[in-house]
Amino acid sequence: MADLFQELLGDRRSGSGGGKAHTNPVALEYLSTLASTPLSHIDGSEQQALAQSSHSLLLSLQSLSKRSHKSIISSAANHSHLRTALPILAASTNDLTNAIPKLDNEAVQFSATYHKSGDNEILNSRKRALLLSRNVERLVDVLDLPTLLSSAITTSSSSPAANYASALDLNSHIRRLHGLYADSPLVASVSAQADEAMQTMAKNLIASLRTPGLKLASALRTIGWLRRVVPDLDSTGAAGNGGGLGALFLVCRLSTLISMLAALEPLRDLAEQERNRQRRNPTGSAWSGGQQTERYLKRYIEIFREQSFAIVSMFRSIFPSPTNDTSSKLGDQDPLQPVPSALSTFPFHLIEMLMETLRAYLPTVKDQPSRDSLLTQVLYCAGSLGRLGGDFGILLATIDAGEEAEDEWVELVKRHRLMAGRLESIVGGKDKP
């Protein structure tokens, strides 16, 4: 029935409008309801129900238009722009579709160019920059090593033992780094600065060996440090005979001795003036004059005796003579070894210095007691060096002090030997139980 009503209404609409009828589900449902409704109900209340529904729909439309008129107007405006926006969107989509292959090619090329396994200068520079950023603290510590080394060396006057030991440890650490990273310019620069600082330390140590009041303990520490700072000077170490380091020690102490003797320059000038006066007036009194020369020689011999004995004894303590086993080992390593110790000829140089001064100024002393006192002092000096293997008492006979002085010299030597024998017997008697 509903279908017949629908066809009937459709035929009328198509006849009036000339268009094809379309099936409306809502209308079809209403027609089905209407077909099942009694005729009396349709004549009575259907029109009123339709009017009420129409009025209700009108009120709903009015309420909706009041609440949502802005959204409706905005939707209508946007809907009007769709005509222009959709073609633009289509064109943009087409451009994007055409650009995707090019973008893919560029991405592939970028990935191939800047891949981790690739060799690219820019990438390598960035890697180096990142590596430098991660290790900046370590690099700063390495760069601070020469400064710390120089500070330890320059502040060694307060506590030289601790500061020099720290400086040597720092230098060993820098040498170890240079051995591990020999191709690094940074480590090479740090090593060069460390070498300059160690040269300064070596100069300070050598200057300390020239200290007038050098003690054995200080000398041992200084030589031990020099062995580590300049190992080439003493390749055999403590078991050898000193080598170049022993020669350096003797040269420094000899320089100190010469400086101390040079401080007697005012007395030497007076002695020289006295000698010149005696040369100009040789007919003067035979046993007068020479007081200034006596003062100069006494002081000269006193300084010479103290320093010469200290130099030789200190050298023997620092550089002990090698044993037979050590000598044989050194001889096996090199047929020219072992080189004789620098001390083997050093006492001759010292004795020659003293003998030259005595030959020049002792004849000027004409007073017999004064001359005997000087010769006795020289004999004691020869005896002190004699305990170390450098007795030069026999050389005093070569001094030309006049014919009368020869007899005095003989008597003086006899008295000195007699006194020395008595002292030895007294000391030997005390040692016996």
Side-chain angles (χ1 to χ4, degrees):
M1 183 65 67
D3 294 336
L4 292 175
F5 285 145
Q6 179 69 25
E7 291 178 0
L8 181 60
L9 291 174
D11 292 340
R12 291 184 177 181
R13 290 181 179 178
S14 62
S16 60
K20 186 177 179 180
H22 297 281
T23 302
N24 191 346
V26 178
L28 186 59
E29 182 182 0
Y30 175 71
L31 290 176
S32 298
T33 305
L34 187 64
S36 61
T37 305
L39 183 61
S40 59
H41 181 73
I42 294 174
D43 292 336
S45 60
E46 184 62 25
Q47 293 182 357
Q48 184 179 359
L50 290 176
Q52 185 178 358
S53 298
S54 176
H55 183 71
S56 176
L57 291 174
L58 179 61
L59 292 177
S60 298
L61 288 175
Q62 291 176 353
S63 176
L64 178 63
S65 62
K66 183 178 181 180
R67 292 194 311 268
S68 305
H69 68 282
K70 293 183 179 180
S71 300
I72 294 172
I73 294 172
S74 176
S75 298
N78 292 332
H79 186 269
S80 64
H81 290 306
L82 286 177
R83 295 179 180 180
T84 58
L86 289 177
I88 295 174
L89 177 62
S92 301
T93 305
N94 189 23
D95 293 341
L96 180 61
T97 304
N98 296 330
I100 285 177
K102 184 178 180 181
L103 178 62
D104 183 68
N105 294 333
E106 293 294 334
V108 172
Q109 183 180 0
F110 180 84
S111 177
T113 303
Y114 296 102
H115 196 266
K116 291 182 178 180
S117 60
D119 187 11
N120 185 271
E121 184 63 28
I122 298 176
L123 189 60
N124 293 334
S125 63
R126 290 182 178 179
K127 288 180 179 179
R128 290 193 295 268
L130 289 175
L131 182 62
L132 179 62
S133 177
R134 288 195 299 266
N135 296 277
V136 63
E137 295 182 359
R138 296 180 181 178
L139 293 176
V140 170
D141 293 339
V142 173
L143 292 174
D144 287 341
L145 288 177
T147 304
L148 293 175
L149 182 60
S150 301
S151 300
I153 293 173
T154 54
T155 59
S156 60
S157 57
S158 58
S159 56
N163 290 333
Y164 280 149
S166 301
L168 291 172
D169 292 339
L170 286 172
N171 184 57
S172 300
H173 180 61
I174 293 172
R175 288 181 177 273
R176 187 162 52 252
L177 289 177
H178 187 61
L180 293 174
Y181 309 101
D183 298 333
S184 173
L186 176 64
V187 177
S189 175
V190 171
S191 178
Q193 297 179 30
D195 291 339
E196 294 178 359
M198 295 311 293
Q199 291 180 4
T200 303
M201 179 177 174
K203 293 178 182 178
N204 294 341
L205 292 174
I206 293 174
S208 65
L209 288 178
R210 301 177 62 180
T211 306
L214 182 67
K215 302 299 181 182
L216 178 59
S218 300
L220 284 171
R221 287 196 303 268
T222 304
I223 294 299
W225 291 328
L226 281 174
R227 279 197 178 101
R228 296 179 60 184
V229 175
V230 195
D232 297 336
L233 288 179
D234 189 8
S235 58
T236 58
N241 54 13
L245 193 57
L248 176 64
F249 173 79
L250 292 178
V251 169
C252 291
R253 298 315 299 165
L254 178 62
S255 174
T256 303
L257 174 59
I258 294 174
S259 300
M260 295 178 69
L261 295 177
L264 302 177
E265 188 68 21
L267 294 178
R268 192 186 70 82
D269 292 340
L270 294 176
E272 188 68 26
Q273 295 174 7
E274 199 169 44
R275 187 175 66 166
N276 292 333
R277 284 197 301 269
Q278 288 189 7
R279 286 179 180 178
R280 290 193 299 267
N281 188 16
T283 59
S285 176
W287 300 105
S288 62
Q291 292 84 3
Q292 301 299 333
T293 305
E294 178 192 3
R295 290 177 57 196
Y296 170 65
L297 288 178
K298 277 187 175 182
R299 186 59 182 155
Y300 188 97
I301 296 169
E302 179 183 356
I303 295 174
F304 181 86
R305 179 178 62 83
E306 294 177 356
Q307 294 299 319
S308 60
F309 182 81
I311 292 172
V312 177
S313 62
M314 199 178 296
F315 183 92
R316 289 192 171 186
S317 299
I318 299 173
F319 306 100
S321 300
T323 60
N324 294 331
D325 295 338
T326 306
S327 300
S328 61
K329 290 180 181 179
L330 293 176
D332 295 338
Q333 295 175 2
D334 189 351
L336 299 179
Q337 294 290 336
V339 177
S341 173
L343 189 64
S344 58
T345 58
F346 184 73
F348 296 106
H349 180 71
L350 291 179
I351 294 169
E352 184 60 28
M353 287 176 54
L354 178 62
M355 295 302 298
E356 184 179 355
T357 303
L358 292 177
R359 292 190 189 100
Y361 294 101
L362 187 59
T364 307
V365 181
K366 301 300 182 180
D367 185 47
Q368 180 180 356
S370 300
R371 189 160 50 197
D372 291 346
S373 175
L374 291 174
L375 291 175
T376 302
Q377 190 177 2
V378 174
L379 288 174
Y380 279 118
C381 178
S384 64
L385 279 180
R387 294 200 299 271
L388 301 174
D391 192 358
F392 61 93
I394 193 65
L395 298 178
L396 296 177
T398 61
I399 300 175
D400 185 11
E403 297 179 358
E404 298 178 356
E406 292 181 359
D407 297 333
E408 299 174 7
W409 163 246
V410 173
E411 294 296 328
L412 181 64
V413 171
K414 288 181 180 180
R415 290 197 304 269
H416 181 74
R417 289 182 177 178
L418 180 61
M419 186 179 299
R422 290 178 179 176
L423 289 175
E424 290 179 358
S425 62
I426 292 174
V427 173
K430 290 182 178 181
D431 293 339
K432 292 181 181 180

